[in-house]
Amino acid sequence: LGLPYIYQMTRFRIGWLLKKLTLTISAAVGMGAVVWYLQLILPETKTMFGVMLLAGVLSYGILVLIVRAVTITELRQLWTAIKPNRS
């Protein structure tokens, strides 16, 4: 790919990126475990998919914060960047 060329143009921290990737994958594995466990214990109903989807979204969001794949400071910076300007 073009990563060696991009690395010549701008410096970025490979170690930091790999750490974030590892933390994000670990949160995804935890979410998968939660959804898998719920699939085992919940009876098959029409609403099971919705319950599992909601549980997956919530568990991933919580796990991303717990493993610090995304920090509160990063969330604040993101919110500052995207919030509408009320002037």
Side-chain angles (χ1 to χ4, degrees), residues 11 17 19-20 32-36 45-47 50-51 54 58 63 66 74-75 83:
R11 297 289 179 197
L17 290 174
K19 178 184 174 189
K20 289 291 187 176
V34 168
V35 171
W36 177 75
T45 62
K46 292 181 181 180
T47 59
V51 169
L54 181 62
L58 290 174
L63 286 169
I66 288 173
E74 291 169 341
L75 289 175
K83 74 177 179 181

Side-chain angles (χ1 to χ4, degrees), residues 13-58:
R13 300 175 294 178
I14 292 283
W16 182 82
L17 290 174
L18 290 176
K19 178 184 174 189
K20 289 291 187 176
L21 177 65
T22 304
L23 293 172
T24 304
I25 289 172
S26 66
V29 167
M31 176 200 63
V34 168
V35 171
W36 177 75
Y37 180 71
L38 283 177
Q39 178 261 333
L40 289 176
I41 64 170
L42 289 178
E44 286 196 37
T45 62
K46 292 181 181 180
T47 59
M48 180 181 169
F49 178 75
V51 169
M52 289 176 53
L53 182 67
L54 181 62
V57 169
L58 290 174

Side-chain angles (χ1 to χ4, degrees), residues 42-86:
L42 289 178
E44 286 196 37
T45 62
K46 292 181 181 180
T47 59
M48 180 181 169
F49 178 75
V51 169
M52 289 176 53
L53 182 67
L54 181 62
V57 169
L58 290 174
S59 64
Y60 183 74
I62 292 168
L63 286 169
V64 161
L65 293 174
I66 288 173
V67 300
R68 296 180 187 248
V70 176
T71 63
I72 299 297
T73 305
E74 291 169 341
L75 289 175
R76 283 189 189 126
Q77 290 173 349
L78 178 64
W79 176 248
T80 302
I82 64 172
K83 74 177 179 181
N85 190 2
R86 297 187 178 155

